Amino acid sequence: MVIILMGVCGSGKTTIGQMLSQQSGWPFHDADGYHPAANVAKMSQAIPLTDDDRGPWVAAMAADVRKWIASGENAILGCSALSQWIRAALGEGDPRVRFVHLHGSPELLRQRMVDRKGHFMPAGLLDSQFAALQLPRGAVVVDVGPPRGEIVAEIRKRLGV
Ligand SMILES: Nc1ncnc2c1ncn2[C@@H]1O[C@H](COP(=O)(O)OP(=O)(O)OP(=O)(O)O)[C@@H](O)[C@H]1O
Ligand SMILES: [Mg+2]
């Protein structure tokens, strides 16, 4: 099974993905690591990415998801996946790919972004992320307000992993 943890910046994809990986033993892959350098440079200057920019990033992730499924590997991918076309590319609808939407209020996530240190995405991009979010259908929706251990337990319970 491939678990895709999706949500806007600051929703906890990396934090929850790493903890879920530790508990399950499934490898965690962060979408940040799939960006070409040009995208990282744009994001560090708070320039929103275009869908053209996202093309190679999504294609690289989609190739890995197909590879994991074909080889029967379990994996966790943390990826914002805000747009429907991105979720479609990542395998939405395939029962072996499960989307978990990490859901939090703009106020909560803004505070977490402000508190977070040493990360390339400035808090100002949060508004554009919420504007870009097309709500998924068929995703498991998890509230990210509680402590991280509770969130991971909720995901494991809901997905049976
Ligand atoms: N349940 C939680 N309770 C309190 N703080 C949390 C929780 N989950 C995550 N955080 C904190 O919120 C901040 C954002 O989390 P994280 O970096 O994992 O989000 P992200 O979705 O990976 O963001 P990005 O899209 O920018 O990569 C971090 O400082 C993290 O430590
Ligand atoms: Mg992250």
Side-chain angles (χ1 to χ4, degrees):
M1 184 196 294
V2 177
I3 298 175
I4 300 182
L5 301 176
M6 61 160 289
V8 298
C9 56
S11 59
K13 301 178 294 293
T14 302
T15 304
I16 300 304
Q18 288 174 343
M19 186 179 276
L20 180 59
S21 173
Q22 280 166 6
Q23 291 191 15
S24 64
W26 297 14
F28 173 68
H29 307 268
D30 202 309
D32 289 348
Y34 290 83
H35 275 296
N39 287 3
V40 176
K42 269 191 156 183
M43 289 187 287
S44 70
Q45 298 167 70
I47 302 169
L49 298 182
T50 66
D51 277 351
D52 279 351
D53 295 327
R54 293 186 181 98
W57 173 61
V58 172
M61 290 187 288
D64 266 359
V65 170
R66 284 194 298 271
K67 185 188 75 181
W68 298 325
I69 288 175
S71 61
E73 290 172 73
N74 294 317
I76 305 160
L77 175 66
C79 173
S80 50
L82 303 180
S83 307
Q84 178 57 43
W85 73 267
I86 295 177
R87 293 190 295 270
L90 295 179
E92 189 174 55
D94 186 321
R96 298 165 295 185
V97 180
R98 302 294 304 275
F99 283 83
V100 176
H101 182 196
L102 300 176
H103 182 268
S105 69
E107 295 73 27
L108 174 72
L109 300 190
R110 191 175 312 283
Q111 193 55 52
R112 286 185 181 169
M113 294 289 288
V114 168
D115 292 343
R116 183 172 66 176
K117 301 280 188 286
H119 198 276
F120 67 71
M121 185 170 280
L125 282 194
L126 190 55
D127 291 338
S128 65
Q129 294 253 304
F130 270 101
L133 174 63
Q134 297 172 333
L135 288 174
R137 278 179 301 171
V140 169
V141 182
V142 175
D143 173 24
V144 297
R148 50 202 84 190
E150 288 181 26
I151 298 168
V152 171
E154 170 81 4
I155 292 170
R156 297 190 71 185
K157 189 175 80 180
R158 302 266 300 273
L159 294 184
V161 298

